[in-house]
Amino acid sequence: MSEKTMFDIVEAVALFFLNPLFIAVLFTAVGVGYFRVKKERRSFKVRLLPGLTELKRLLAESWPYALVLSILISGAGLLADPGWLVLFSASALIALLTFYYKVTSPIYFASAAFFALYFIEKYMGNFSFRGWTPGQADLLGDLAVTIPVIAGLFLIVEGLLIRRHTIRYASPSLMHTNRGLRAAAFKTKRLWLLPVVFLVPGDMISAFVPYWPQFTFGESAFSFVPVPVIIGFSQVARSLYPDILFPKIGRAIVWTGGIVVIVGLAALWLPILGWVALLLGVVCRAAISITASVRDRQGGFAVAPRPAGVVIAGVVPGSPGEKMGLLPGEYIRAVNGLQVSNEKELYDAIQLNAAHCRLQVIDRNGEVRLMQQVIYRHDHHRLGLLVVR
């Protein structure tokens, strides 16, 4: 293999890893973890998860979905315009840098890029970049079907990720109630990176990178282009527990994605329905976020101080508290037969008989259950609980 061939292959691979969006999401994930740990330590003097958790889970949870999406998009022949891909990535980068992850849903990026193409075609029809012109984007033709369907698939994946991978990462923090007491609220701020392979018509890419994967069908040429797709989620849970609120949001987003896909497919017969599908997806996704936030603020705190007992705000993964099955919102009323009302009394009581630590726990339904766990004497402070102070 010649030196030039090797260089072209390396350049092709670097197009993905040197994408500004890919680099930005790595640094952003580190920042999200840093500020989460800082906030947890300010409230509880201990962090729930390591600071690099967000970076480590950036791709670990999402790559199977990215693989399925790539197969569906390429296998179904859902073509994406090169200009749309550039605008899609630019929209995602702008949203990412706002650090407001309620707007980092792919439906927003896909719709913004689609309608930006329309305005570019209408007001900048003579614009050209490396052989691409706005006139190549047929917004009332194939793209009126493929873009809404792709956006709907992204919504379905977003909903599934929220349902399955947000509860464990809900970060507790202490807030003041209207009565001046301190209660716990839970905030999840997640980022996922999906390396999705898009199918792009024409040989524009191979003209600059000769060894880029390409195939022909009849007289048409197509290229496979990997693009980093980001999905973000940010939500606070106060009146509902995260394991109740977040799956509800995820299910609503999955249903919205399914509707967008169906309406997008209907654009095969009436192209304008593709435009309607994108607008419907944007409105419904925004409504889901707004409704969840408004309803959550209207209720009281689910994890609030009790007249007697120590209220659990969080449980450190892998700790004795997790092994005992303790959950946020439950409260410990007694330890080894001694009534406890604050954190100091809790750990003092554990130290009296750590080897046979017995807890009387009141669960979320108000029912009493007894838990027992061996805790080494010098590790009595490592029960792994974050409590409402």
Side-chain angles (χ1 to χ4, degrees):
M1 185 178 292
S2 67
E3 182 178 347
K4 184 179 184 305
T5 302
M6 285 293 297
F7 178 79
D8 287 335
I9 293 175
V10 171
E11 183 180 5
V13 175
L15 282 176
F16 175 82
F17 291 104
L18 294 182
N19 188 306
L21 182 59
F22 176 78
I23 298 172
V25 76
L26 295 180
F27 285 100
T28 305
V30 174
V32 170
Y34 170 78
F35 287 108
R36 173 185 56 77
V37 169
K38 189 174 181 180
K39 189 173 183 179
E40 289 172 353
R41 285 179 172 164
R42 185 165 60 246
S43 292
F44 305 102
K45 296 183 172 53
V46 65
R47 51 94 174 142
L48 194 63
L49 293 167
L52 293 179
T53 299
E54 284 77 2
L55 178 63
K56 292 178 180 179
R57 309 308 297 175
L58 189 64
L59 188 61
E61 297 164 347
S62 59
W63 72 263
Y65 298 97
L67 179 61
V68 173
L69 279 174
S70 299
I71 294 173
L72 288 176
I73 291 172
S74 301
L78 300 176
L79 301 179
D81 180 77
W84 178 81
L85 284 177
V86 172
L87 292 171
F88 178 88
S89 296
S91 301
L93 181 61
I94 293 171
L96 181 68
L97 296 179
T98 64
F99 298 99
Y100 184 68
Y101 297 139
K102 287 183 178 293
V103 298
T104 49
S105 171
I107 186 63
Y108 299 140
F109 314 149
S111 301
F114 185 88
F115 291 108
L117 273 181
Y118 169 75
F119 286 105
I120 291 174
E121 182 179 358
K122 185 173 182 179
Y123 298 106
M124 301 171 60
N126 296 326
F127 176 80
S128 177
F129 180 75
R130 293 195 172 187
W132 177 86
T133 60
Q136 296 176 1
D138 188 2
L139 300 182
L140 286 173
D142 292 341
L143 291 183
V145 178
T146 60
I147 300 306
V149 171
I150 291 173
L153 292 174
F154 282 153
L155 271 176
I156 293 173
V157 169
E158 178 185 357
L160 293 174
L161 286 169
I162 291 172
R163 283 188 62 186
R164 300 178 181 179
H165 302 293
T166 54
I167 299 171
R168 185 182 179 188
Y169 305 99
S171 174
S173 62
L174 296 180
M175 301 177 63
H176 289 283
T177 67
N178 294 331
R179 294 185 298 169
L181 302 175
R182 302 184 81 185
F186 302 88
K187 183 172 185 178
T188 289
K189 204 168 191 178
R190 294 299 316 275
L191 283 173
W192 294 283
L193 174 66
L194 291 80
V196 178
V197 177
F198 289 89
L199 191 62
V200 177
D203 56 358
M204 184 182 73
I205 295 176
S206 61
F208 296 94
V209 188
Y211 289 92
W212 191 263
Q214 184 182 17
F215 72 96
T216 58
F217 185 78
E219 297 181 355
S220 302
F222 303 91
S223 300
F224 294 106
V225 181
V227 176
V229 176
I230 63 166
I231 295 177
F233 176 71
S234 179
Q235 184 65 47
V236 175
R238 301 192 309 178
S239 60
L240 292 175
Y241 297 107
D243 53 344
I244 296 176
L245 177 61
F246 297 162
K248 285 184 177 179
I249 295 175
R251 283 192 295 270
I253 295 174
V254 169
W255 279 104
T256 300
I259 294 172
V260 171
V261 169
I262 293 172
V263 178
L265 289 174
L268 286 167
W269 297 274
L270 188 61
I272 196 64
L273 287 178
W275 298 47
V276 173
L278 290 173
L279 292 174
L280 182 65
V282 169
V283 171
C284 290
R285 181 63 185 90
I288 290 170
S289 292
I290 294 172
T291 302
S293 298
V294 170
R295 288 180 178 177
D296 186 71
R297 292 194 188 101
Q298 290 175 345
F301 286 86
V303 181
R306 304 280 181 172
V310 178
V311 180
I312 300 171
V315 183
V316 177
S319 65
E322 185 183 54
K323 294 176 182 177
M324 284 190 282
L326 299 178
L327 297 172
E330 298 181 330
Y331 65 98
I332 302 171
R333 190 162 64 181
V335 178
N336 295 325
L338 298 177
Q339 299 288 325
V340 295
S341 59
N342 56 55
E343 189 176 17
K344 183 179 183 305
E345 292 180 359
L346 169 68
Y347 288 112
D348 285 347
I350 291 174
Q351 194 174 16
L352 292 177
N353 190 6
H356 300 284
C357 178
R358 294 184 180 87
L359 305 182
Q360 187 183 79
V361 180
I362 312 299
D363 66 15
R364 295 174 179 178
N365 298 320
E367 298 179 357
V368 180
R369 58 192 181 101
L370 299 176
M371 311 298 298
Q372 182 168 323
Q373 177 71 28
V374 175
I375 302 175
Y376 294 105
R377 183 176 182 84
H378 297 292
D379 288 342
H380 66 282
H381 59 288
R382 295 181 183 176
L383 188 57
L385 300 182
L386 281 63
V387 303
V388 177
R389 300 172 181 272

